[in-house]
Amino acid sequence: MKRLTGIIILMGILFSFSAKAQMYKDTSLDFETRAMDLVQQMTLEEKISQLGNTAPGIERLGVDPYDWWNEALHGVARAGSATVFPQAIGMAASFDLDMMSRVANVISDEARAKHHEALRNKDYGRYKGLTFWSPNVNIFRDPRWGRGHETYGEDPYLTGQMGIRFVRGLQGNHPKYLKLVATAKHFAVHNGPEPERHFFNVVPDKRDLWETYLPAFEDLVVEGEAYSVMGAYNRVDGASASASWMLLEDILRKRWNFNGYVVSDCGAIRDIYAYHKIVNTAEEAAAVGLRRGCDLNCGIIYKTYMKEAVNQGLIDEREIDRAVYRLMLARMKLGMFDPKEMVPFAQIPYEVNNAEAHDVLALEMAQKSMTLLKNNGILPLNLQKTKTIAVVGPNADNL
């Protein structure tokens, strides 16, 4: 009888442990509880493996591989056929907020359809995920900056309004699930010249910082509820923008109540020691980046050097837990740990990509983006006299 009682107690303990081990799979629980439980199941090595943009799967926990890198500045990029809208600087010239909402909704439809088609084919490669490093809401002040076309221009108010609509269109308005994750970038005070971006220390005056460079980010985080922010390469007041207490903790999380995750620009954590010379080693850079609020490293510094940073006492495992929790929570909000039948966006058919209705919208946005600066009498073209129109440049016949 005693033996039987012991077996029953042991079975109860095992059942309890098994049930606890499955908490993160329990769809009746909230995402926060599930994400916390999942992190608790991971070893230190498994946690660190999730801190880079290319995250391997954890088979024993049912965690699929995932690549956080994707782009959708003016259409889903680098993942097959997609509807191409005008560049961001062109769409901003339309001053049409409703059109921007429609464009972003089409982009997110195509992105979701591409993602689920990739899953059906067991394709976990880059540009197949649901976390998009768009929009770029830097203020375009310096014409030497080669990425000005990615922005909405030089006006902080217009940039914020366009960015809000773009973020909402990407992320959707479902009460439980995110359609995609939009990433406001590059935070902050980042606008060229391009060759100096890995070395430059920006020292903005307080008024310019708060009236020019921060308002659009605040709009996207507070009103648009962007779930991700990307740090910039440059320093701001001596600290790496991707590892700045002022930017990532005091302003982003405390002042603006940001609850998502922060990702570095690609290579920005390496820059902390290699170019900015803020610290001397890769291990120190890994610790500084994570501790100061950068959860995800686009690059290899976290994945390669974080374990040694722990061994050297530069960072505590609980700080790693915090970052991994934020990342797993984002994936859960995207529905990655739930049956696809529960996720409404998983039902979008692949055929929406480059659909005729989307082409019509792209044409309409292109027409609205056209801006006539000065007409010396050439326009409108006399089509009866004009027999040939030349389209010139490297993209003239390159879709």
Side-chain angles (χ1 to χ4, degrees), residues 17-34:
F17 179 78
S18 175
K20 183 181 179 182
Q22 299 299 314
M23 279 178 60
Y24 67 92
K25 295 183 179 180
D26 186 348
T27 58
S28 69
L29 299 174
D30 60 81
F31 290 136
E32 290 77 9
T33 299
R34 295 170 64 190

Side-chain angles (χ1 to χ4, degrees), residues 65-324:
Y66 187 68
D67 197 310
W68 294 81
W69 189 335
N70 215 333
E71 307 279 357
L73 190 67
H74 59 120
V76 184
R78 301 171 178 170
S81 179
T83 304
V84 179
F85 293 95
Q87 269 287 3
I89 195 76
M91 291 193 286
S94 74
F95 290 84
D96 194 323
L97 300 180
D98 290 336
M99 275 294 291
M100 180 59 84
S101 296
R102 293 170 62 195
V103 165
N105 188 61
V106 163
I107 292 172
S108 58
D109 276 354
E110 296 193 4
R112 265 287 177 174
K114 286 179 179 294
H115 171 73
H116 293 289
E117 179 69 9
L119 289 185
R120 285 188 284 272
N121 294 311
K122 304 292 184 184
D123 184 354
Y124 303 104
R126 185 168 296 175
Y127 312 124
K128 305 298 170 59
L130 296 174
T131 47
F132 285 82
W133 294 349
S134 307
N136 183 344
V137 289
N138 292 134
I139 301 304
F140 187 26
R141 276 184 150 180
D142 191 326
R144 294 171 296 174
W145 188 35
R147 299 180 70 174
H149 59 282
E150 295 185 5
T151 75
Y152 299 122
E154 64 183 352
D155 186 285
Y157 177 74
L158 177 64
T159 297
Q161 294 302 302
M162 283 288 183
I164 288 169
R165 295 301 187 98
F166 192 83
V167 166
R168 288 177 175 172
L170 289 194
Q171 295 191 164
N173 58 3
H174 194 272
K176 181 176 181 179
Y177 294 104
L178 289 167
K179 192 176 185 182
L180 306 177
V181 165
T183 304
K185 67 182 187 184
H186 309 83
F187 191 55
V189 202
H190 182 77
N191 64 353
E194 196 78 350
E196 297 298 315
R197 59 183 178 167
H198 295 282
F199 308 89
F200 191 59
N201 180 36
V202 184
V203 186
D205 67 61
K206 194 170 184 178
R207 179 173 180 175
D208 209 22
L209 177 67
W210 286 98
E211 292 187 1
T212 304
Y213 291 108
L214 295 184
F217 285 100
E218 182 176 8
D219 288 342
L220 267 62
V221 168
V222 176
E223 191 172 344
E225 298 184 333
Y227 202 72
S228 176
V229 169
M230 176 179 281
Y233 286 120
N234 50 273
R235 280 171 286 158
V236 179
D237 288 338
S240 164
S242 287
S244 165
W245 285 120
M246 178 185 73
L247 292 175
L248 303 184
E249 292 293 333
D250 294 343
I251 295 175
L252 188 60
R253 295 200 181 273
K254 292 180 181 178
R255 186 184 288 259
W256 297 344
N257 296 314
F258 175 69
N259 291 314
Y261 66 90
V262 173
V263 56
S264 74
D265 206 342
C266 297
I269 301 300
R270 170 209 60 202
D271 293 354
I272 294 173
Y273 78 95
Y275 300 125
H276 293 311
K277 307 295 185 182
I278 295 171
V279 295
N280 296 320
T281 68
E283 290 83 3
E284 290 175 297
V288 165
L290 194 76
R291 173 167 289 151
R292 294 186 180 179
C294 184
D295 306 297
L296 180 66
N297 172 211
C298 180
I300 64 169
I301 299 301
Y302 281 4
K303 292 172 66 174
T304 307
Y305 299 100
M306 193 65 75
K307 179 68 180 299
E308 183 57 29
V310 173
N311 293 339
Q312 292 181 20
L314 299 172
I315 195 160
D316 189 272
E317 187 172 351
R318 287 173 295 182
E319 295 172 289
I320 296 172
D321 291 350
R322 180 188 63 190
V324 179

